[in-house]
Amino acid sequence: MAKKVKSVWVEEYRPKSIREMALPTAKVSGHKVDLAEDLTKFVKNFFKEMKRINAENKIIRVYNRTASEKERKEEVKIAPEKAAVLLEGPPGIGKTSIVFALANDLNMEVIETNASDTRTRDALENKLRETVKSRGIMDFVTQSKEKLILIDEVDGIYGTKDRGAVPTILDLIQSTQFPIIMCSNEYKQNLQPLYNKVRKFEVYPLSDDEVIKIAHNILKKENITNLKRGDLDLIVKKNNGDLRGVINDIQGIAQGSTEVDNKDLIFSLHRDTTEEIFALIRDLFQNVSTLREARDLTDKSDVDYNFLYKWVNENLISFIKINKEIANAYDNLSLADEIFGRIRRNQYWALLPYFYDLFAGGTSLAQSRKTSGFRRVTFPRYVVGGAFSLTNAERSLIDKINKTYEISQIEAIQDFIPFLKILCSTSRRQLKNVSDWLDLDAKEKKILK
Amino acid sequence: MNNEIPIWRIKYLPKNLDEVCGREKIKERLKSIIKQGNFPHLLFVGSEGIGKATLASLFSKEFLGRFYDANFKLIYANVPLTEEERKLARAEAYVSTSKIGSIAGKRITTPAFIQVKVKPFVQLKVLGEAPFKILIVKNFETLGSNQQGFRRLMEIYGSNCRMILITTKISGVIDPIVSRCQLFLISQVDLDSFKELMNKIANNESLEMEDGIIEILYKVSNGNISRAIDILQLSSIRRKKLTKNNLDEKKITKNILYEVAQKFQNDLVGSLLLMTLRGDFPKARELSRNIISNYKYNPHELFNLLLNELNKLPLSKFARIQLINLIADADFRAIDGLDSDIQISALLAKICLFSEHLS
């Protein structure tokens, strides 16, 4: 075999066909589905549907040409759930691979956009709109490949940088000539309009056994024999179903040195997972004793600081128990939060070092004596802050109240609904009276219970 | 649907100006306005929950008569716009290039709130034979800088639409607005009229009360009639439960009243303050999170409530000023802070620490 150009194994071993890959399990609104079958069906149905709609539109266009302005008919558009699907799941489990394998199987071409492209309205439109709307002139002459549009990492769309991207994607879904598959890692509030329109596949990580099997195959092909079985297990476990992470790790080890039995090396290659944050928080409060150490800790970790200081807020009290120290720690943490607010609002990035030192060092060093032993670390609970936000049930409850009793949303939440809660808690009959009178459904009733 | 309304505060909502409890002088003034058939923009000032909006809307109803539905609108200045309304504001702000004029192709920079909620109503001509339309804006002081937008609106569309602005703090309303309005100071209902109303309800619902109950109710509810009726209703339910076996005790007693009144929200904030002063930080934080998620206060509102509760506590001058200092500092930081939970927790932690010096 001729010496190949060194490439990333992840790309090299991307499955060529959907049949040869280990498919992760997927669920649609709680029901297990076969990803390969469903996606193939989706693409095939799309083209069938498109053919029908195009034929219909052709007739409408011919009709419109002769009809007067008033009598013109709207052109038919494809239903969003038939034009696009969304794959949601943790990183590295093969969402993108499935799409490429699928395209390969169906002999299609993939047009991809991901978070590395800026996705403002204009940029997205430039890249996709032409391919989406029209078929090139060559397509009529030669039988070219059909196209599949992949919008990868949609959850990476946010902020002012990608302004207007979500509405553009929604527009695209309405006017597309090719099927669209979107991938995303997690639920994002600003993508809600998308979730409402398209079918969402929840994709779950592969089991460790499957990952090990795939890793073994790669090791065999690359002729690497010096990776011990135990170390491979360790890598797989640490990556927590992230197949891409595993492949990257073993490549790093294999190419780093020929003597691969060094566990430290494996640990130095670790990825950002929740486990890491847990460990980091414990380290911060239990092992750090100087400001320099605290700084090193936050510098080294790849955990998003946006996020890290909320973890500190949530878990501070499981490590610090003395009121004086809690107050000191919180004094620093709240100042850090204020500074961070100013940084974000006014772009004073020069203040960032203070933010780091205050939220990490400032909280950890407030302890006079370190705790030892295991302490529970929990996820930050995101308490709604700032904006006044209502759940759907609350909103519909207020609407129903407003039919007979005009009251603003804020008055309802802060004054009237608390009263209703007290009233309904007195007896079941009262609850029934109120809910009959307002004609409530189960969800709205639940608020009052 | 059941015809009997199970909630007394709605059942006993006044249906016209005469039914409004007390405040004869103001009612007289409003009635003479109705007789004249004309009035300038009005500004209603008075403390929270005493019935300013009820008065204003009943007044509008009588003034407009049968053209009430088409020519009346009530908007709440403190309710944020929904996503759709924001979208609409953005879409409307753009003037198409197909239009003629210097603003063609540009964006109008009217505040979204005015663009969506106020302008469409005031611009539309009067429907029917009413002299003009009436727009009520509640919690006007919360509009902040958007108040400026009202100045011109009140002048340009003044002949088409009169506004009744309602506020609890006149200091929060900018001077140019105050000078454009006729001022109405709405007072709390007086005890005699309050007694009259409560007795009427008691008669209707066949309640018996101990002597002096109404006076206590008046104090507890702080002039807020809806709240007073709420408390009365809950007390009557509580009494029924208590007297299931023992039918001699039919009256609503003071104990029942206090017990019920304690369940209301301000006491929750009060107990938060007490718990914090006891020095148990984890529990206090848990409670504060509960309050925030239930009542959806922003941190500034919570700090204000804490301040109110603080003033009720028997504390030394020194302790009080120290605590106010802490609350002020937290409120100040929360202006720029991003995570309200951190700011609130920080305040609680500091109060917990302070409580150790108290005892």
Side-chain angles (χ1 to χ4, degrees):
Chain A
M1 199 164 77
K3 185 89 178 162
K4 269 194 288 181
V5 186
K6 263 191 185 173
S7 66
V8 191
W9 288 3
V10 174
E11 291 305 325
E12 204 169 311
Y13 290 100
R14 225 182 243 293
K16 303 287 180 304
S17 160
I18 210 160
R19 272 181 303 273
E20 72 180 41
M21 77 183 286
L23 274 176
T25 47
K27 284 182 182 171
V28 176
S29 44
H31 297 288
K32 223 169 164 184
V33 293
D34 182 356
L35 255 185
E37 195 183 320
D38 264 41
L39 286 180
T40 317
K41 223 195 269 167
F42 157 72
V43 172
K44 282 186 175 151
N45 272 347
F46 175 86
F47 285 114
K48 220 188 274 167
E49 184 76 7
M50 218 51 230
K51 211 169 169 188
R52 185 182 69 74
I53 283 176
N54 280 342
E56 231 170 272
N57 279 342
K58 214 170 185 179
I59 298 170
I60 292 173
R61 271 198 291 272
V62 170
Y63 170 84
N64 280 351
R65 222 170 281 156
T66 53
S68 67
E69 186 123 4
K70 268 184 199 163
E71 287 169 335
R72 273 183 201 166
K73 283 183 195 163
E74 283 262 335
E75 289 187 22
V76 186
K77 280 181 179 162
I78 190 160
E81 71 268 17
K82 283 185 183 155
V85 289
L86 177 68
L87 306 180
E88 188 180 286
I93 57 168
K95 298 187 296 295
T96 313
S97 298
I98 291 173
V99 177
F100 277 96
L102 178 76
N104 204 11
D105 281 353
L106 298 172
N107 194 21
M108 294 165 80
E109 189 184 334
V110 177
I111 298 170
E112 183 191 359
T113 142
N114 54 43
S116 57
D117 314 326
T118 329
R119 288 180 289 194
T120 54
R121 193 175 186 105
D122 289 343
L124 256 183
E125 273 180 10
N126 283 344
K127 177 145 190 177
L128 292 178
R129 180 133 284 171
E130 283 322 303
T131 30
V132 170
K133 259 188 165 170
S134 59
R135 290 153 186 245
I137 203 160
M138 285 307 287
D139 296 354
F140 291 102
V141 185
T142 59
Q143 188 63 29
S144 85
K145 282 181 175 180
E146 293 280 11
K147 296 181 182 79
L148 179 73
I149 295 170
L150 168 65
I151 308 179
D152 210 353
E153 298 154 25
V154 271
D155 53 338
I157 292 176
Y158 63 103
T160 48
K161 217 175 66 201
D162 295 338
R163 184 165 286 169
V166 174
T168 311
I169 293 177
L170 283 175
D171 281 357
L172 282 176
I173 291 174
Q174 292 264 307
S175 58
T176 182
Q177 289 286 336
F178 302 106
I180 298 177
I181 299 180
M182 292 173 282
C183 295
S184 121
N185 286 346
E186 55 189 10
Y187 176 83
K188 274 276 166 72
Q189 180 91 45
N190 60 346
L191 297 180
Q192 191 59 46
L194 274 181
Y195 295 136
N196 292 343
K197 288 264 164 71
V198 303
R199 206 144 75 104
K200 185 168 90 176
F201 290 86
E202 283 163 28
V203 188
Y204 292 88
L206 293 169
S207 71
D208 285 354
D209 288 342
E210 284 172 299
V211 175
I212 289 176
K213 223 158 96 193
I214 295 168
H216 258 302
N217 275 338
I218 293 175
L219 288 176
K220 217 190 233 165
K221 275 189 198 150
E222 293 288 335
N223 263 331
I224 292 171
T225 49
N226 52 359
L227 192 67
K228 282 183 196 157
R229 177 68 197 226
D231 288 344
L232 184 59
D233 284 351
L234 200 69
I235 295 174
V236 169
K237 203 166 216 163
K238 202 163 54 52
N239 278 295
N240 207 358
D242 178 354
L243 180 58
R244 181 170 46 201
V246 172
I247 299 177
N248 276 339
D249 274 359
I250 54 177
Q251 185 178 16
I253 291 166
Q255 292 175 346
S257 70
T258 42
E259 285 295 309
V260 195
D261 50 10
N262 187 351
K263 274 183 191 157
D264 286 346
L265 186 62
I266 301 166
F267 276 118
S268 73
L269 289 162
H270 61 143
R271 313 238 102 57
D272 176 13
T273 58
T274 331
E275 254 327 298
E276 192 198 348
I277 305 181
F278 280 105
L280 198 147
I281 294 286
R282 287 199 183 99
D283 256 9
L284 180 64
F285 282 106
Q286 294 185 317
N287 296 331
V288 166
S289 53
T290 62
L291 187 60
R292 171 135 295 278
E293 283 174 26
R295 239 183 236 176
D296 285 349
L297 196 65
T298 46
D299 277 355
K300 263 191 212 146
S301 94
D302 327 323
V303 181
D304 192 357
Y305 48 77
N306 257 320
F307 197 54
L308 193 58
Y309 84 109
K310 297 194 172 180
W311 281 79
V312 173
N313 171 36
E314 186 66 39
N315 294 299
L316 201 152
I317 47 173
S318 37
F319 295 96
I320 311 181
K321 298 288 181 193
I322 303 167
N323 272 346
K324 183 164 187 234
E325 291 170 2
I326 295 178
N328 275 339
Y330 261 114
D331 191 33
N332 291 330
L333 186 60
S334 72
L335 186 59
D337 179 49
E338 187 188 353
I339 289 173
F340 194 47
R342 293 200 180 175
I343 292 173
R344 291 278 292 271
R345 282 197 189 103
N346 308 322
Q347 310 294 313
Y348 292 152
W349 290 100
L351 297 177
L352 201 60
Y354 302 120
F355 169 70
Y356 268 116
D357 283 348
L358 283 170
F359 93 74
T363 50
S364 160
L365 301 180
Q367 311 169 83
S368 55
R369 238 185 32 203
K370 301 263 173 297
T371 51
S372 55
F374 181 80
R375 294 295 159 115
R376 208 161 64 96
V377 174
T378 51
F379 265 95
R381 281 197 312 175
Y382 293 101
V383 181
V384 190
F388 183 81
S389 58
L390 297 172
T391 62
N392 282 340
E394 282 169 338
R395 195 166 290 132
S396 67
L397 174 63
I398 294 172
D399 281 345
K400 282 181 184 172
I401 291 170
N402 262 330
K403 277 180 197 158
T404 45
Y405 183 45
E406 195 163 336
I407 189 168
S408 78
Q409 287 175 346
I410 289 182
E411 284 168 330
I413 286 288
Q414 297 186 352
D415 182 60
F416 192 55
I417 292 178
F419 163 66
L420 286 185
K421 275 186 201 168
I422 300 173
L423 183 69
C424 294
S425 68
T426 52
S427 69
R428 201 164 286 171
R429 199 167 57 93
Q430 291 292 342
L431 176 63
K432 193 178 175 308
N433 274 352
V434 171
S435 69
D436 282 353
W437 173 64
L438 288 168
D439 195 18
L440 300 182
D441 62 32
K443 266 189 194 160
E444 293 151 358
K445 250 186 186 169
K446 212 175 158 193
I447 299 176
L448 296 182
K449 263 176 195 165
Chain B
M1 207 153 82
N2 204 338
N3 278 336
E4 179 77 5
I5 299 173
I7 295 156
W8 290 2
R9 74 145 89 174
I10 300 177
K11 194 169 164 188
Y12 294 103
L13 221 52
K15 308 224 164 33
N16 54 45
L17 267 187
D18 287 320
E19 280 184 24
V20 173
C21 175
R23 285 159 293 195
E24 302 299 333
K25 273 188 189 156
I26 290 164
K27 284 197 293 197
E28 237 165 70
R29 252 172 94 190
L30 290 175
K31 273 182 196 162
S32 75
I33 288 179
I34 294 174
K35 227 176 256 168
Q36 287 162 14
N38 191 7
F39 64 91
H41 298 299
L42 305 180
L43 182 60
F44 280 25
V45 185
S47 55
E48 227 173 293
I50 58 169
K52 300 179 296 293
T54 320
L55 262 174
S57 54
L58 289 175
F59 163 70
S60 320
K61 199 171 186 176
E62 282 179 34
F63 186 89
L64 294 170
R66 62 198 177 91
F67 304 108
Y68 169 74
D69 287 334
N71 293 312
F72 173 81
K73 191 178 181 190
L74 172 64
I75 55 179
Y76 301 92
N78 57 347
V79 176
L81 298 180
T82 61
E83 195 49 44
E84 292 98 70
E85 285 171 331
R86 268 177 211 290
K87 230 185 225 166
L88 188 68
R90 271 199 295 273
E92 280 179 0
Y94 178 73
V95 180
S96 148
T97 43
S98 64
K99 295 234 167 99
I100 298 171
S102 58
I103 56 162
K106 288 186 184 151
R107 288 187 174 277
I108 311 172
T109 50
T110 325
F113 176 82
I114 291 179
Q115 183 74 33
V116 177
K117 293 211 164 168
V118 184
K119 263 196 165 172
F121 181 74
V122 295
Q123 284 177 333
L124 207 66
K125 280 271 178 313
V126 183
L127 301 168
E129 286 150 35
F132 40 72
K133 310 169 90 166
I134 297 179
L135 174 74
I136 295 184
V137 186
K138 247 186 122 170
N139 306 86
F140 190 74
E141 78 281 356
T142 54
L143 273 183
S145 58
N146 279 352
Q147 288 180 18
Q148 300 289 353
F150 268 81
R151 294 167 60 170
R152 286 298 289 156
L153 285 181
M154 290 171 89
E155 281 167 2
I156 301 174
Y157 302 106
S159 61
N160 186 39
C161 174
R162 297 291 149 81
M163 298 183 190
I164 302 179
L165 311 178
I166 298 176
T167 179
T168 49
K169 289 185 221 137
I170 194 160
S171 56
V173 181
I174 56 173
D175 284 346
I177 300 275
V178 178
S179 84
R180 282 174 176 79
C181 296
Q182 191 182 345
L183 210 58
F184 270 71
L185 293 173
I186 316 274
S187 55
Q188 249 185 39
V189 62
D190 55 314
L191 184 57
D192 290 336
S193 326
F194 183 78
K195 265 186 182 165
E196 205 178 299
L197 178 71
M198 289 302 137
N199 279 328
K200 196 185 109 191
I201 294 174
N203 268 340
N204 243 343
E205 304 288 340
S206 54
L207 286 179
E208 283 176 55
M209 292 183 278
E210 258 185 11
D211 291 340
I213 278 285
I214 297 184
E215 280 85 351
I216 295 172
L217 198 55
Y218 184 68
K219 242 187 225 161
V220 169
S221 62
N222 237 334
N224 186 336
I225 298 177
S226 309
R227 169 59 41 80
I229 299 178
D230 288 349
I231 294 176
L232 202 62
Q233 182 175 11
L234 287 175
S235 311
S236 90
I237 293 169
R238 186 90 189 97
R239 181 205 45 128
K240 266 182 209 155
K241 258 196 177 165
L242 280 182
T243 54
K244 233 177 204 169
N245 309 318
N246 176 10
L247 283 170
D248 315 330
E249 194 63 55
K250 273 188 187 163
K251 289 177 179 172
I252 293 178
T253 61
K254 286 174 195 167
N255 285 342
I256 292 179
L257 195 71
Y258 280 130
E259 188 189 323
V260 168
Q262 254 176 17
K263 287 185 182 165
F264 279 94
Q265 50 157 328
N266 292 345
D267 286 314
L268 217 53
V269 178
S271 55
L272 171 66
L273 186 62
L274 286 178
M275 188 178 279
T276 326
L277 283 172
R278 246 176 259 139
D280 189 347
F281 176 69
K283 266 191 187 158
R285 173 154 95 160
E286 202 57 46
L287 183 61
S288 82
R289 284 180 166 181
N290 258 339
I291 293 175
I292 292 287
S293 66
N294 271 331
Y295 292 102
K296 314 209 186 268
Y297 292 127
N298 61 38
H300 175 69
E301 282 168 324
L302 185 73
F303 292 146
N304 256 338
L305 288 171
L306 278 173
L307 197 62
N308 280 344
E309 290 301 317
L310 177 67
N311 286 330
K312 288 182 197 162
L313 290 182
L315 289 167
S316 71
K317 265 187 222 160
F318 170 75
R320 200 182 299 270
I321 203 73
Q322 285 291 316
L323 285 171
I324 291 176
N325 191 333
L326 291 179
I327 296 178
D329 186 43
D331 205 352
F332 178 66
R333 284 186 182 181
I335 293 175
D336 273 333
L338 285 179
D339 189 325
S340 56
D341 188 51
I342 289 182
Q343 299 298 342
I344 294 168
S345 305
L347 174 64
L348 298 181
K350 285 178 195 172
I351 298 181
C352 280
L353 173 64
F354 180 74
S355 71
E356 288 178 358
H357 301 299
L358 272 182
S359 47

